[in-house]
Amino acid sequence: MEYAISKGILVAIVLAPLLGSIIAGLFGRQVGRVGAHSATIAGVAISCALSIYTLWQLMQGAPVFNENVYTFFEVGNYSAHVGFLVDNLTAMMMVVVTFVSLLVHLYTIGYMAEDPGYQRFFSYISLFTFSMLMLVMGNNFLQLFFGWEAVGLVSYLLIGFWFKKPTAVFANMKAFLVNRVGDFGFLLGIAGVLYWFGSLDYATVFAAADSTIGGGQTIEVITGFEWSVATLVCICLFIGAMGKSAQVPLHVWLPDSMEGPTPISALIHAATMVTAGIFMVARMSPLFELSETALQFILFIGATTAFFTGLIGMVQNDIKRVVAYSTLSQLGYMTVALGVSAYSAAVFHLMTHAFFKALLFLAAGSVIIGMHHEQDMRKMGGLRKYMPITFWTSVIGTLALVGTPFFSGFYSKDAIIEAAKHAGDGGWVYHYAYWAVLLGAFVTSFYSFRLLYMTYFGAERFRDAHPSPVHAVHDAHGQETRHEPLHDDGHAHPAGGDAHAHDDHGHHGPHEPHESPWVVTLPLILLAIPSILIGYFTAGPMLFGTDWTGHHEVRGFFDGVIHVLASNDVLATLKDEVWHGPTAFALHGFVTPVFWLVVAGFVLATVMYWWKPGLPAKAARVFALPIRVLERKYFADDLWIGGFAGGGVALGKLSRVFDTRVIDGLFVNGSARVVELVSGVIRRLQSGALYHYAFAMIVGLILLLAVLIKYWR
């Protein structure tokens, strides 16, 4: 039986979430809450089911689908299209995006149950899913850029969903502006592709890549400095990925995106926006393989992000921010894999990470619900007996994140570390990257188990939490109102208090944590299953071209999709040296330095946050300076906000002064005043009397004769 992917099915996959978004957004009042979540969940469920069916068809031998479905415009010899390129990479991304999005939609029913913007939120997350599908399914750079900007726009709307919350408004603006920096580079890269190839179609560009820019062609960007065209185009494209996938120094927006509701934190950080940059570089592998310089640049940025942003997670106390910095670090791991040409490992880690990171975010949201919208881990503790499902799923997500053998994160993360170890020609950047991802395993283990201990073990510190005092704030019209501090739900709940539990004095009394409803815990369970199993069954086909047992050669999952030069194929080296099937690989993992660093992180977290809970305070005094640096996030926010943004404002003020005082004051108004002054003097000489003019002529003649006599030769 021959299989073929249907264009109609692909159109339905894309449009189903968009239709749900339109129903919930434009007709939310008419259909109500149930209608809004029913329409969006149905749309994403249809998209998920059809995506799984499309992936199954490809696995059964269906040919790659690459067709245009709509012509957007034609200008001269260039035409822009909406089209789909569906191969194994695309289909895998479609399944991950829609599956995680579907579970987030279900979870949102419970998490946003009391929010007045219920229908609006469902409209946004469904639109977010549509945007990401357009990005990953496109067959040309223009459609890629459309999806790229669309996910940026919707993330702006979602991060600032609680638009009356000043920190949320600041965070969404910060995300939007930082991404504009990356997108400027991305747009330059796309312009370079169009200039050199005369086309934005993937197939056309990739087929001509080696002959067009692979022969050492150069361009003089700055007079006297020749740049490789391949390097210039690839670095510009990667700058776009640095913004979307939050790589240093364009990482500052991602932790602040926690100001949005927890479901969107899971969607942004796990399966959609932040993975767009990783997907893009993997898709562009035929271009990136032409520039060793670009790959080394990617490797350095990824290694720096993997280690140094992970360190910041060690000192965070907000439960969502710990997971956010974990995302930054894991994105760094993926970028390191891209830099050593292990594109398959990067995308494989993208897939496994999507499941266990979505699980950790949604589990954090479940804790926030159970704690009545408290996010500070210092006010938690002992929650495992109150929230057993959330606790055990958090444990599973944590074990996957730290790379425990046999868990999904182990196969993808250890493959990246091994690839970094075996890659390159011994240059310093390869050694730097290897040590960064190796030591990052210790850092990840420490902050992950620290989160578990502070949240679920030890004393029940929430019983000692006191509400914050009421303070005066002003509304948008300048009228003074009285509000409690805003928390994760965007409402005025006192710190550590239940929004509905008041004592006789108007203060919030102590609350009892509780397990979340089934619409919250069911997605946790469904995400925990692939967090355990999916790596074991897919590592062989995706990374090494073997079946899931590791004993039989099969066509690699990404063969013909991801292109790697033979000299850069580090995964082929790993296949020969370390891969003998998923079981043997996991058993070997118990004797690697990575595992013992994970154990060391676990032991240190156990001692500090369970056995000797007084140690963190002592450590804070001893290591006050480095902790201060980490708490200030290496002063990156100061650089961006106070430096670049503040410098821009100062420069604007200076230019305004220069424009007002010099341009307008001196040159424009000053020249006018000079003309006015001179004309005022000259005007007095024009009396209109004939004898005045005759007298002036005689005086002038005398002066002229005097000059002639003096200089006569």
Side-chain angles (χ1 to χ4, degrees), residues 41-123:
I41 290 173
V44 176
I46 291 170
S47 185
C48 182
L50 294 178
S51 296
I52 293 172
Y53 175 65
T54 300
L55 177 61
W56 179 80
Q57 285 184 304
L58 287 168
M59 299 298 293
Q60 299 304 311
V64 171
F65 182 95
N66 185 12
E67 293 183 21
N68 296 323
V69 297
Y70 176 75
T71 300
F72 189 52
F73 64 80
E74 292 185 2
V75 177
N77 295 326
Y78 176 72
S79 57
H81 306 280
V82 175
F84 299 134
L85 170 61
V86 180
D87 51 23
N88 285 5
L89 174 60
T90 303
M92 184 273 291
M93 288 294 297
M94 290 161 57
V95 171
V96 170
V97 168
T98 54
F99 179 73
V100 174
S101 178
L102 177 60
L103 296 184
V104 169
H105 275 69
L106 289 172
Y107 178 95
T108 301
I109 297 176
Y111 192 88
M112 302 292 286
E114 299 179 4
D115 196 280
Y118 189 85
Q119 293 97 315
R120 179 166 58 94
F121 188 80
F122 272 99
S123 176

Side-chain angles (χ1 to χ4, degrees), residues 236-316:
C236 284
L237 291 173
F238 179 68
I239 289 173
M242 288 171 63
K244 276 290 181 290
S245 294
Q247 297 298 291
V248 171
L250 302 182
H251 67 289
V252 293
W253 67 271
L254 193 60
D256 285 359
S257 69
M258 297 299 96
E259 293 294 337
T262 296
I264 194 51
S265 300
L267 201 55
I268 287 178
H269 286 238
T272 53
M273 182 171 170
V274 296
T275 63
I278 308 300
F279 165 80
M280 183 272 291
V281 176
R283 172 61 76 198
M284 306 302 160
S285 59
L287 298 180
F288 281 88
E289 282 298 286
L290 300 176
S291 174
E292 185 67 26
T293 302
L295 290 175
Q296 291 186 5
F297 176 72
I298 292 171
L299 181 60
F300 175 77
I301 294 295
T304 303
T305 305
F307 181 68
F308 288 99
T309 59
L311 290 176
I312 303 176
M314 298 171 65
V315 300
Q316 297 297 308

Side-chain angles (χ1 to χ4, degrees), residues 449-625:
F449 286 107
R450 172 179 178 265
L451 184 151
L452 279 182
Y453 286 127
M454 291 185 71
T455 305
Y456 298 103
F457 292 84
E460 298 177 355
R461 295 180 297 277
F462 54 83
R463 298 189 182 280
D464 301 324
H466 299 289
S468 301
V470 176
H471 62 281
V473 298
H474 295 80
D475 63 18
H477 304 290
Q479 299 298 316
E480 185 176 288
T481 56
R482 297 182 72 82
H483 290 288
E484 297 288 353
L486 289 166
H487 282 265
D488 185 65
D489 63 347
H491 300 304
H493 296 191
D498 186 342
H500 308 290
H502 298 274
D503 61 23
D504 293 337
H505 301 287
H507 295 294
H508 292 239
H511 59 264
E512 197 78 2
H514 57 83
E515 185 60 275
S516 301
W518 72 268
V519 289
V520 172
T521 55
L522 178 61
L524 297 181
I525 296 169
L526 294 178
L527 286 168
I529 296 171
S531 296
I532 300 173
L533 300 175
I534 199 166
Y536 185 91
F537 291 103
T538 58
M542 285 193 170
L543 297 181
F544 304 111
T546 68
D547 65 359
W548 70 271
T549 66
H551 300 304
H552 303 284
E553 298 284 336
V554 297
R555 185 175 185 272
F557 186 80
F558 295 117
D559 283 0
V561 179
I562 291 174
H563 302 274
V564 183
L565 297 178
S567 58
N568 291 345
D569 197 355
V570 66
L571 290 180
T573 304
L574 294 186
K575 179 181 178 182
D576 297 333
E577 295 188 11
V578 302
W579 180 254
H580 305 288
T583 302
F585 189 66
L587 292 175
H588 174 70
F590 285 107
V591 297
T592 60
V594 182
F595 177 74
W596 292 109
L597 284 170
V598 169
V599 171
F602 164 72
V603 170
L604 182 61
T606 302
V607 171
M608 292 184 67
Y609 293 95
W610 191 22
W611 292 347
K612 303 288 185 181
L615 276 181
K618 296 179 181 178
R621 291 192 293 270
V622 174
F623 301 103
L625 180 59

Side-chain angles (χ1 to χ4, degrees), residues 320-341:
K320 285 172 64 178
R321 285 184 178 268
V322 175
V323 187
Y325 280 104
S326 169
T327 299
L328 280 174
S329 181
Q330 297 307 304
L331 288 167
Y333 275 84
M334 299 176 208
T335 306
V336 165
L338 297 173
V340 297
S341 295

Side-chain angles (χ1 to χ4, degrees), residues 700-710:
L701 180 60
I702 293 171
L703 292 175
L704 179 60
L705 289 173
V707 172
L708 288 174
I709 291 170
K710 180 176 177 61

